Amino acid sequence: NAGVMQNPRHLVRRRGQEARLRCSPMKGHSHVYWYRQLPEEGLKFMVYLQKENIIDESGMPKERFSAEFPKEGPSILRIQQVVRGDSAAYFCASSPPGRGQIEQYFGPGTRLTVT
Amino acid sequence: AQSVTQLDSHVSVSEGTPVLLRCNYSSSYSPSLFWYVQHPNKGLQLLLKYTSAATLVKGINGFEAEFKKSETSFHLTKPSAHMSDAAEYFCVVSTGGFKTIFGAGTRLFVKA
């Protein structure tokens, strides 16, 4: 059973470009969470999605950031018009239904660098 | 509201000596508590979790943690440090929902 997969592992974008980060949850997991880790800090919750639904996006910046988890395919975290402050590691986690509070499995992360 | 405080940003130990990483939490409800480890440029690995069963929780790689409600603590320990334990450790609280609150992390250095 493959773990949570994220790609790309490293992404470099110039200011103003768009960044797309992908997350494939573990098999059988229908819940996905996105977190951001700034240098020297812990992870901060961004958004929680189920298939075709955003359950909670209270941690998402109001502008430029969006997330989706379509019926087919991976979850996508999209950052439009990136700025230097968006440089961070973005982690995705997945859980089985109903167990998100006690069982989240993390992917290896995508390290975004904005130049 | 819930919060997590990791009392030390850096801990340095010699190989073969005990490890203590301290974590205090604040929660209005019965929390679930976790410790994760992150090696450089890697994802997070779950070391152990407390979910209202036994207060002394054993995890992987010889780590364990004790939930002390009266002290609102969940300190991580290991009897004997190994060089491969050098990493960043995160204490995490979750209270009845899906949101998890991460501490700021403690970086563990292990000297030969």
Side-chain angles (χ1 to χ4, degrees):
Chain A
N1 188 5
V4 178
M5 308 201 36
Q6 291 187 247
N7 67 80
R9 294 291 307 275
H10 301 273
L11 182 61
V12 180
R13 285 286 179 267
R14 291 199 186 96
R15 278 181 297 170
Q17 291 184 318
E18 177 179 287
R20 279 179 176 249
L21 289 63
R22 287 177 289 278
C23 169
S24 296
M26 286 181 70
K27 188 175 180 181
H29 290 190
S30 56
H31 297 202
V32 164
Y33 315 80
W34 284 95
Y35 295 83
R36 176 164 64 176
Q37 183 181 31
L38 294 169
E40 305 299 318
E41 292 185 15
L43 278 70
K44 298 286 195 295
F45 168 81
M46 298 181 74
V47 62
Y48 163 41
L49 308 106
Q50 296 176 17
K51 287 280 187 182
E52 301 183 280
N53 281 307
I54 296 175
I55 306 302
D56 188 307
E57 55 182 350
S58 58
M60 290 275 272
K62 292 289 184 281
E63 296 176 348
R64 302 186 297 108
F65 284 71
S66 62
E68 63 176 8
F69 189 16
K71 188 175 181 182
E72 301 291 338
S75 175
I76 307 286
L77 179 67
R78 183 181 177 209
I79 311 172
Q80 295 178 289
Q81 299 176 318
V82 296
V83 300
R84 288 229 173 96
D86 297 333
S87 295
Y90 293 83
F91 289 93
C92 166
S94 74
S95 74
R99 294 182 65 81
Q101 67 270 28
I102 60 171
E103 201 171 338
Q104 292 187 20
Y105 297 85
F106 283 81
T110 294
R111 276 157 183 82
L112 173 65
T113 302
V114 180
T115 60
Chain B
Q2 55 263 27
S3 65
V4 177
T5 302
Q6 291 184 243
L7 294 134
D8 307 291
S9 60
H10 298 86
V11 169
S12 182
V13 301
S14 297
E15 191 174 22
T17 64
V19 176
L20 170 64
L21 304 183
R22 298 182 295 166
C23 172
N24 285 103
Y25 69 93
S26 170
S27 174
S28 304
Y29 305 98
S30 296
S32 295
L33 293 156
F34 310 79
W35 276 98
Y36 284 87
V37 61
Q38 184 180 30
H39 289 276
N41 297 315
K42 296 285 179 63
L44 285 86
Q45 182 182 21
L46 179 65
L47 281 177
L48 50 80
K49 62 184 177 187
Y50 166 78
T51 55
S52 74
T55 56
L56 182 61
V57 183
K58 293 189 184 298
I60 61 171
N61 301 337
F63 284 94
E64 61 182 39
E66 186 171 7
F67 173 69
K68 291 187 176 180
K69 187 175 181 179
S70 60
E71 298 176 11
T72 61
S73 69
F74 191 58
H75 302 333
L76 182 70
T77 60
K78 182 173 181 178
S80 176
H82 192 272
M83 296 296 288
S84 61
D85 294 327
E88 183 114 28
Y89 292 80
F90 293 97
C91 182
V92 181
V93 65
S94 173
T95 55
F98 55 85
K99 286 186 187 177
T100 51
I101 308 296
F102 278 72
T106 298
R107 190 171 295 277
L108 176 65
F109 297 93
V110 182
K111 298 174 289 187

